[in-house]
Amino acid sequence: MLYGDLNLLSVFLWHVTFVYLIVLILLSFIIYRNTRDELFLYYFGYVFLLFTYIVCRNYYFMEIQTYLSVFLYSYYVQVVYLCMYFHFGLLVINFRSYFPRFTVWIYRYMAVVGGIGTVLFIGGLLQWVPSHYMADYYHKIFFPIHISIALVIIYKAVKLRQEKLWIYYLVGTISYLVLGTVAILANFYQPPGLPVRPVAYFYIAIIIECTFYAIGLGVRVGQVYTDKLETERRLNSAQKELQAGMLLQIEQQEQDKIVLQREKELQTLATQVALLENKVLRSQMNSHFIFNVLNSIKAYIIERNVEKAVTYLNKFAKLMRGVLDASRDENHTLADEIKAIHLYVDIEKMRLNEALVVGFDISLSQDPSTIPFPSLLMQPFVENAMWHGLTYAGEDKELDIRIYNRGKGIYIEILDNGIGYSHSVRERKKLRSHRSHGVDIAKERIVQFNKKHKQQITFGIEDREGRKGTRVWIGIE
């Protein structure tokens, strides 16, 4: 092949690379504007810097390559975009999650080599140092070290097959690494018999690497939209099922005016439930208790038990309003806590539909509304008593909540006649049931409360003395 033919092929590959990078710049910017995914922002930065380097290598105004600023920039921008490539690649395969220490070391390395390159670039522009220092730094220091670190990263990345973009990263990076190295070595040593000019290998490397990364990022975009569509599909399916059930009930009763009126009430009630569900979701209060209550209300609606549904919904709405108010107001008091526990116990009694005797004995010398208290601190203990202590207690289930003065402080007792604390712990270990984190969270909240307030709270859980059951005590000093 003649030299002129080799040069013509190199010019053709330059044009392909030039156009390809323009397309990728536009696509990555548009996708970032639509998704706000920072991965596409870094990819945009990388391909844009690579594009500026390709412009410096143009075949139309080759004399600009002799300008000092263009000469220095053509080496400096390679340092910058290769560091940007490292950063982008590590994000693609979530490298930091698997090798945090090594990743920190890589970023320190990039800061050092980027800083040295910046100093040499500025120094060359101001003619403080010879211009060839920039080229020597890139070829003799930066590039060998960068290639060595890239090989280590590739070696570690081979193990990350669980990452979705793993194969695109490896193929693109290895192609880029091999062909880019061939281009530099061929340019230095000029071996005879090359099928193309050395720089053409670099253009081919860019085309292959960008193609695989573009495919990988396309897969990422597709996955994002697929997940979004699947979520919407599930929500629409659930909504259609609910609407279909309600419409069937209305059609069966449409000949009777009285029943039609009841259906209107049921529709209004169902709308309130849906609004309440939306408030719960917006408040991120996704607990088993909340959704179990909502399911119970829906069951009453389906059974056309309007009276119970209304009562249940009113109590639950008051409880939720109190919880949401408490989340915005730090001035929660013992009086607020007593009201909330009353509502919680009433709701659980309606849902359990079992014989349960609950007693409240409050004997305080001071006004409970003047006593600061963490919101719903008592709730997990009351819940444990009802769902763990009293579940196997037989027919006579009793729960007593006592609040009284003890010395200079206040004492709260939550007593049940269930199987007892020790027995309950053993049973849960045998069954390997899921551990409730309510008590652990209560401990952490007490620690935070004690740091902020003069009053100090302590608590304990133990078996009752002289009879079966569990005793939870909370002291306020």
Side-chain angles (χ1 to χ4, degrees):
M1 184 179 289
L2 298 176
Y3 181 82
D5 295 332
L6 297 179
N7 186 61
L8 182 62
L9 180 58
S10 299
V11 173
F12 171 74
L13 290 173
W14 180 88
H15 282 82
V16 173
T17 306
F18 181 85
V19 174
Y20 199 16
L21 289 177
I22 291 177
V23 173
L24 291 177
I25 289 171
L26 294 175
L27 284 177
S28 59
F29 180 74
I30 292 171
I31 294 174
Y32 171 71
R33 286 289 302 272
N34 291 331
T35 65
R36 294 298 176 183
D37 188 342
E38 66 173 6
L39 195 62
F40 292 96
L41 178 62
Y42 292 123
Y43 188 66
F44 167 79
Y46 162 65
V47 293
F48 178 78
L49 291 172
L50 186 58
F51 174 76
T52 63
Y53 173 73
I54 295 297
V55 171
C56 292
R57 304 282 304 184
N58 79 88
Y59 290 89
Y60 294 100
F61 306 101
M62 297 188 66
E63 68 275 4
I64 69 170
Q65 299 179 23
T66 62
Y67 296 170
L68 177 63
S69 58
V70 176
F71 173 79
L72 292 172
Y73 180 77
S74 65
Y75 286 102
Y76 174 64
V77 74
Q78 292 183 77
V79 174
V80 177
Y81 77 62
L82 285 174
C83 289
M84 179 70 77
Y85 181 80
F86 262 21
H87 178 60
F88 167 73
L90 296 180
L91 287 178
V92 165
I93 56 175
N94 199 21
F95 194 82
R96 183 189 291 270
S97 300
Y98 303 98
F99 309 103
R101 292 185 179 179
F102 185 54
T103 304
V104 171
W105 185 89
I106 292 173
Y107 280 109
R108 289 176 180 172
Y109 151 76
M110 289 192 293
V112 172
V113 296
I116 295 174
T118 302
V119 170
L120 292 176
F121 174 66
I122 296 174
L125 286 177
L126 300 177
Q127 298 184 356
W128 292 344
V129 297
S131 59
H132 68 84
Y133 278 19
M134 187 73 242
D136 291 341
Y137 169 68
Y138 175 78
H139 289 297
K140 299 177 182 179
I141 299 176
F142 172 79
F143 187 76
I145 296 175
H146 212 69
I147 291 295
S148 301
I149 296 175
L151 291 174
V152 176
I153 294 175
I154 291 173
Y155 171 74
K156 291 181 176 291
V158 170
K159 305 175 184 178
L160 307 182
R161 297 185 179 181
Q162 64 273 29
E163 291 296 328
K164 294 181 179 179
L165 305 183
W166 168 78
I167 188 64
Y168 304 103
Y169 168 79
L170 282 184
V171 174
T173 300
I174 292 174
S175 303
Y176 193 39
L177 182 67
V178 172
L179 293 175
T181 303
V182 169
I184 291 179
L185 295 177
N187 187 59
F188 265 110
Y189 299 107
Q190 297 290 333
L194 284 177
V196 293
R197 295 186 65 189
V199 71
Y201 289 103
F202 179 64
Y203 298 147
I204 296 172
I206 293 175
I207 293 171
I208 295 175
E209 176 267 331
C210 289
T211 298
F212 275 91
Y213 267 120
I215 295 173
L217 294 177
V219 171
R220 182 183 177 97
V221 172
Q223 186 62 44
V224 170
Y225 281 102
T226 299
D227 293 343
K228 182 178 179 181
L229 291 174
E230 178 63 18
T231 301
E232 292 179 352
R233 186 192 65 79
R234 291 180 180 179
L235 290 174
N236 290 334
S237 177
Q239 184 178 5
K240 288 179 180 179
E241 290 179 3
L242 180 61
Q243 291 176 347
M246 294 181 64
L247 288 174
L248 181 61
Q249 295 170 12
I250 294 173
E251 290 174 0
Q252 292 174 350
Q253 303 291 335
E254 62 183 2
Q255 300 300 323
D256 193 331
K257 293 183 180 180
I258 298 176
V259 176
L260 281 174
Q261 183 61 37
R262 290 172 61 87
E263 290 294 340
K264 291 181 181 179
E265 294 176 1
L266 289 172
Q267 288 180 358
T268 303
L269 196 57
T271 302
Q272 293 177 9
V273 172
L275 291 174
L276 193 56
E277 285 179 323
N278 289 332
K279 290 181 179 179
V280 170
L281 291 172
R282 288 197 298 268
S283 303
Q284 297 181 346
M285 300 181 65
N286 300 318
S287 69
H288 291 296
F289 163 70
I290 291 173
F291 287 105
N292 285 339
V293 170
L294 293 175
N295 288 333
S296 298
I297 296 174
K298 289 179 181 178
Y300 284 134
I301 295 173
I302 293 173
E303 295 171 3
R304 293 173 174 71
N305 195 335
V306 178
E307 291 76 12
K308 280 193 175 182
V310 171
T311 303
Y312 207 171
L313 180 61
N314 287 338
K315 289 181 179 292
F316 180 64
K318 289 180 181 179
L319 177 61
M320 290 305 304
R321 185 163 54 249
V323 172
L324 295 175
D325 290 340
S327 66
R328 294 190 293 265
D329 184 10
E330 295 183 356
N331 300 321
H332 191 77
T333 66
L334 183 58
D336 298 326
E337 183 74 358
I338 293 171
K339 292 179 183 178
I341 295 302
H342 265 291
L343 288 170
Y344 173 77
V345 170
D346 288 343
I347 291 170
E348 290 287 36
K349 285 176 66 178
M350 290 183 68
R351 192 160 69 90
L352 288 169
N353 196 21
E354 294 179 358
L356 174 63
V357 178
V358 180
F360 282 84
D361 184 7
I362 302 173
S363 303
L364 292 174
S365 59
Q366 60 267 61
D367 186 357
S369 62
T370 63
I371 303 170
F373 196 84
S375 62
L376 289 183
L377 179 65
M378 295 169 57
Q379 188 271 333
F381 301 112
V382 175
E383 181 180 1
N384 285 342
M386 299 179 75
W387 286 98
H388 297 298
L390 294 172
T391 300
Y392 308 103
E395 296 182 356
D396 299 323
K397 299 178 180 181
E398 297 178 0
L399 175 66
D400 290 318
I401 300 174
R402 303 173 184 175
I403 305 176
Y404 55 91
N405 293 104
R406 183 174 180 179
K408 296 182 179 180
I410 297 173
Y411 212 66
I412 301 172
E413 285 185 317
I414 302 170
L415 308 170
D416 66 65
N417 65 339
I419 61 176
Y421 179 69
S422 301
H423 190 186
S424 176
V425 171
R426 289 195 299 269
E427 288 297 318
R428 275 182 284 174
K429 286 183 178 180
K430 290 180 181 178
L431 296 174
R432 296 181 180 179
S433 59
H434 176 71
R435 177 184 173 186
S436 173
H437 296 282
V439 176
D440 294 335
I441 295 173
K443 291 179 181 178
E444 296 175 4
R445 295 184 62 205
I446 288 174
V447 170
Q448 296 300 323
F449 181 89
N450 290 342
K451 289 180 180 178
K452 295 181 180 180
H453 297 81
K454 293 181 180 180
Q455 290 177 316
Q456 299 294 295
I457 295 179
T458 56
F459 86 101
I461 307 174
E462 59 193 15
D463 292 317
R464 296 180 69 175
E465 294 182 3
R467 58 176 300 179
K468 66 177 182 178
T470 302
R471 174 177 175 265
V472 178
W473 59 268
I474 302 173
I476 308 173
E477 298 293 334

